[in-house]
Amino acid sequence: MRFFSFKKNNDNTNNLLKTTTERSRPTFHVLKIKDIKRETDESVSIAFELPEDLRSNYAFLPGQYLTLRTEIGGQDVRRSYSICSSPLNEDLRVAVKKLDGGVFSTYANSELKVGDELQVMTPEGTFTTSIDEKAARSYVAFAAGSGITPIMSLMKTILELEPKSTFTLYFGNRTTGSIIFRDEIDALKNRFMDRLRVNHILSREDQGSDTTRGHIDATKVKLFAERFFEPKKVDAYFICGPEQMIHTVKDTLGELGVAKENIRFELFTTSAETTNKQSNEKAQEVLKPKAENLSQVTVILDGEETHFELAYDGRTITDAATDAGADVPFSCKGAVCCTCRARVIKGEVEMDMNYALEPEEVEDGYVLTCQTHPRSSEVVISFDE
Ligand code: FES
């Protein structure tokens, strides 16, 4: 498990900065929408009212996300969105970009209104960093499209809390008009003139230079590194955007000698649907439904046990536990968000994919239950550990 710490002890009651890295079990609460702001033609940001008694539940680390849940067309829909606000004196706010055919994102962009209520899961996610007000660090971020969302939160918090650190952002978009948070980024640039550098890379607009035209790819990363930063001297890199872009930037930084532990990335557009489909196909391919491939599974949640029988087939612990009536936490079902994390207490299991757990967590017996299948006659899994 990665641990993060904030050395600044801010006692301003308006802030939501989480001061501990202890992970508590994600839980839903009903929150009222306080504000909806149109950020671009295709995206809105949504702020939530936080009743006093729930404020500590929603304290967060910059870079974390919320899972929103509601019923749309008779279906239980849940989606995760990164928090775009800083935990320092800002509302708890997420940004939602409308996707083609996106059930929740379309609903959020066209139907949601101030005063509506949504179920909101407590903040989750490990795309963050330790912050030390005495540190003089250099941060470089690569974002594309709505991948800027968690980076906004990180950027604002770091610039505010680490007065000696610098932040450089490479931000890819189609056109100037599609740049989400453009005004806010400009205002930050003016405020932190000597510590924040922002470079817009536009794929469908000519800014008069080949360097800033096109997509963030390996050539561009190498060019930026050659001209603007020394890859090995940067303390931390943040990458968020489409999967392909993340892998390209990560691999290129690796080629330039950047240590793996200095690169943090958040998979943003991995399609849970696609991934689940792939994992199910894979599982069905390798497993024959034989009588001996049956497991007695126990799931422990809030001290309560749910028992069910699960074949070694394509179904996951999350799906089977939900069907058995346990309200187990999940969100992306695509091995990305970590909401479904739980610990194996007994038995053997296998995960299809894992983009969210650290190697040490896996060693400690933690699994992503949305990717987990039993591999022994008895399996006990706890969400309480
Ligand atoms: S629900 Fe997101 S990783 Fe399992």
Side-chain angles (χ1 to χ4, degrees), residues 330-340 368 370:
F330 68 86
S331 180
C332 72
K333 286 197 181 176
V336 175
C337 76
C338 209
T339 310
C340 62
L368 301 172
C370 75

Side-chain angles (χ1 to χ4, degrees), residues 47 55 78 84 96 115 117-118 186 188 202 257 270 285 351 380:
R55 284 193 73 81
R78 44 176 105 188
C84 56
V96 181
E117 291 182 330
L118 289 175
D186 282 348
L188 276 178
L202 301 178
T270 294
E285 199 179 292
M351 275 194 287
V380 181

Side-chain angles (χ1 to χ4, degrees), residues 85-213:
S85 48
S86 153
L88 308 166
N89 300 312
E90 288 191 348
D91 285 329
L92 179 68
R93 186 183 281 273
V94 293
V96 181
K97 184 180 177 192
K98 188 169 176 235
L99 301 173
D100 282 344
V103 179
F104 192 94
S105 64
T106 305
Y107 172 73
N109 271 267
S110 51
E111 286 180 50
L112 265 189
K113 50 189 188 315
V114 173
D116 284 353
E117 291 182 330
L118 289 175
Q119 290 195 58
V120 181
M121 195 180 270
T122 44
E124 282 285 301
T126 55
F127 183 60
T128 186
T129 187
S130 64
I131 291 182
D132 178 356
E133 60 183 334
K134 294 202 187 81
R137 295 178 182 141
S138 120
Y139 297 92
V140 172
F142 294 89
S146 55
I148 188 66
T149 312
I151 289 173
M152 271 310 277
S153 182
L154 283 158
M155 188 162 71
K156 287 188 275 190
T157 315
I158 286 168
L159 288 168
E160 187 80 47
L161 290 183
E162 289 188 358
K164 293 190 208 124
S165 293
T166 62
F167 202 106
T168 306
L169 170 67
Y170 296 93
F171 189 13
N173 283 284
R174 288 196 306 270
T175 60
T176 310
S178 65
I179 299 175
I180 188 168
F181 306 125
R182 182 161 50 118
D183 293 346
E184 200 179 345
I185 292 171
D186 282 348
L188 276 178
K189 253 186 353 187
N190 291 336
R191 185 165 162 219
F192 299 104
M193 227 176 263
D194 49 347
R195 295 196 291 124
L196 173 62
R197 276 229 310 255
V198 178
N199 306 275
H200 290 290
I201 298 97
L202 301 178
S203 59
R204 295 198 200 153
E205 203 174 292
D206 191 355
Q207 300 182 89
S209 153
D210 282 350
T211 320
T212 54
R213 187 166 190 186

